[in-house]
Amino acid sequence: MLCFYRCLKGSGESCGESFLVKVMAWLVVWLLCAPGALASQSSPASDTVDLGDLSSVSLATFNYYPYQHHGEGMMIELYREALAMQNIRLDVHIYPILRGVAEMLEHKVDAFSPGLFFIDDALAQGQVTVVPTFRIQYGWFYKGDNDPRGRQDLTGTILVTPTPVKSVAPYDQFFHERGAKIETIESPDRLLRMVASERATFASAPLLPGWLMLKKFRPQQLDQFGFAAYGPLMCTLAFSTSNPRTTYLKAQFEQGLQVIIANGSYLQILERYWGKGNVPQEVLPESIRYQGSRHFDVRRLPQHPEN
């Protein structure tokens, strides 16, 4: 239409002065401009991204009882229940940690969990967006009188940690600064086994899986072990920011999560793994923290399913 406007407003020499000439000029301009306009109006359909099946979320994770264990576990139950509130199913894929992160970033799966330090680099670079889901009480297990708190020299000691990154995680910095040797062990079972067999001095691990594993491997020796708490860490469900499915699926999950927190399902799921009335307040969402326990009791933990 810009072409037509210029023609009508132009000089008599450029467009002619008779009505017929103007009409003919309008027809010529319309024939020249209309195809582009029509094409631009029809282009969104061709540019639409195929989001695939939005009735399911594919999740990459790794085996770490009780959070995830061969497609089940506390974390899996929470996610499955939250998505079910939105009529979305959960498909779980078990991978080594770093491969799981890569699968999420490459859009081969929709999400990765439990997030934590495994996605720190991607988060800092804006490659992922996360939904806070649950807290874990993190710290270090030790045997005998090897409590690390208050010790300034840890030379000759060994800390085993599941952190598969080049830099030392913030909560392990204490050991690094005091001369401890730090080894990365991705298998959670091995962390506690190494401390139990005294091949390592400390194991960096969450409180719940650590005690559950010790109840499984050393049920008669629980009194020989101690736990030095670092503090609660937030686990997340991570989505790739470049995945076109993320906006919808993340919003659906967030809505479902709030539903199960409000209706009591969230706490009920946690109690199946912590024990009735034994869920520490600090691991619960703020809105239901008052329903948690101020005194965690390792003896009240349920048995490991493979005991």
Side-chain angles (χ1 to χ4, degrees):
M1 293 307 297
L2 179 60
C3 300
F4 180 48
Y5 174 82
R6 288 175 175 171
C7 181
L8 293 183
K9 291 297 183 180
S11 63
E13 292 77 13
S14 61
C15 291
E17 298 182 356
S18 71
F19 176 75
L20 180 60
V21 171
K22 290 183 179 180
V23 170
M24 292 178 65
W26 182 87
L27 288 172
V28 171
V29 171
W30 186 87
L31 290 172
L32 291 174
C33 297
L38 292 173
S40 65
Q41 291 176 11
S42 60
S43 62
S46 61
D47 293 340
T48 300
V49 177
D50 181 8
L51 299 182
D53 181 9
L54 292 175
S55 66
S56 69
V57 169
S58 55
L59 169 71
T61 187
F62 53 94
N63 283 325
Y64 197 168
Y65 186 83
Y67 303 124
Q68 53 274 355
H69 187 67
H70 302 298
E72 299 298 331
M74 187 184 81
M75 183 187 79
I76 303 301
E77 284 194 50
L78 285 175
Y79 294 176
R80 185 169 286 140
E81 185 71 12
L83 289 168
M85 296 295 103
Q86 307 301 110
N87 296 314
I88 298 175
R89 70 178 185 275
L90 178 68
D91 297 326
V92 181
H93 303 270
I94 305 298
Y95 297 121
I97 296 171
L98 295 183
R99 180 184 169 187
V101 175
E103 295 280 310
M104 177 266 296
L105 292 175
E106 295 170 6
H107 308 174
K108 295 177 181 177
V109 297
D110 296 311
F112 171 84
S113 195
L116 287 173
F117 37 75
F118 307 120
I119 60 167
D120 280 352
D121 290 344
L123 191 61
Q125 295 170 17
Q127 295 177 294
V128 298
T129 179
V130 300
V131 180
T133 52
F134 62 95
R135 291 179 177 84
I136 60 173
Q137 185 68 294
Y138 212 84
W140 309 280
F141 283 88
Y142 59 90
K143 187 177 181 181
D145 59 358
N146 283 319
D147 190 337
R149 291 169 291 193
R151 296 174 61 177
Q152 298 303 312
D153 185 5
L154 294 174
T155 304
T157 64
I158 299 175
L159 168 71
V160 286
T161 176
T163 314
V165 293
K166 295 179 181 179
S167 59
V168 178
Y171 38 82
D172 290 337
Q173 192 69 34
F174 173 90
F175 295 86
H176 178 70
E177 294 172 348
R178 288 161 176 76
K181 180 181 179 181
I182 300 179
E183 297 181 0
T184 295
I185 306 292
E186 285 199 32
S187 170
D189 285 2
R190 285 188 60 200
L191 295 175
L192 274 298
R193 287 179 182 272
M194 290 179 72
V195 171
S197 62
E198 300 182 8
R199 288 180 293 156
T201 322
F202 315 103
S204 179
L207 180 148
L208 179 58
W211 281 121
L212 284 170
M213 289 178 193
L214 288 173
K215 286 191 71 173
K216 174 184 177 181
F217 301 133
R218 297 289 193 276
Q220 307 303 320
Q221 303 173 6
L222 290 180
D223 293 339
Q224 297 182 19
F225 298 91
F227 180 77
Y230 170 82
L233 296 177
M234 179 61 75
C235 289
T236 62
L237 184 61
F239 297 84
S240 169
T241 53
S242 61
N243 189 336
R245 292 166 55 87
T246 288
T247 300
Y248 176 81
L249 293 178
K250 180 187 175 187
Q252 292 297 304
F253 175 74
E254 288 176 316
Q255 293 172 27
L257 184 63
Q258 292 307 310
V259 171
I260 67 170
I261 290 174
N263 70 16
S265 299
Y266 186 102
L267 180 58
Q268 290 174 7
I269 291 172
L270 264 63
E271 286 186 326
R272 287 202 281 271
Y273 296 89
W274 287 93
K276 184 72 172 178
N278 199 38
V279 182
Q281 289 184 337
E282 57 266 29
V283 307
L284 291 172
E286 188 71 36
S287 60
I288 60 171
R289 192 160 297 170
Y290 69 95
Q291 299 180 39
S293 172
R294 295 182 180 179
H295 306 288
F296 163 74
D297 184 355
V298 64
R299 305 287 177 180
R300 297 175 61 187
L301 290 175
Q303 291 294 318
H304 193 291
E306 295 181 354
N307 272 11

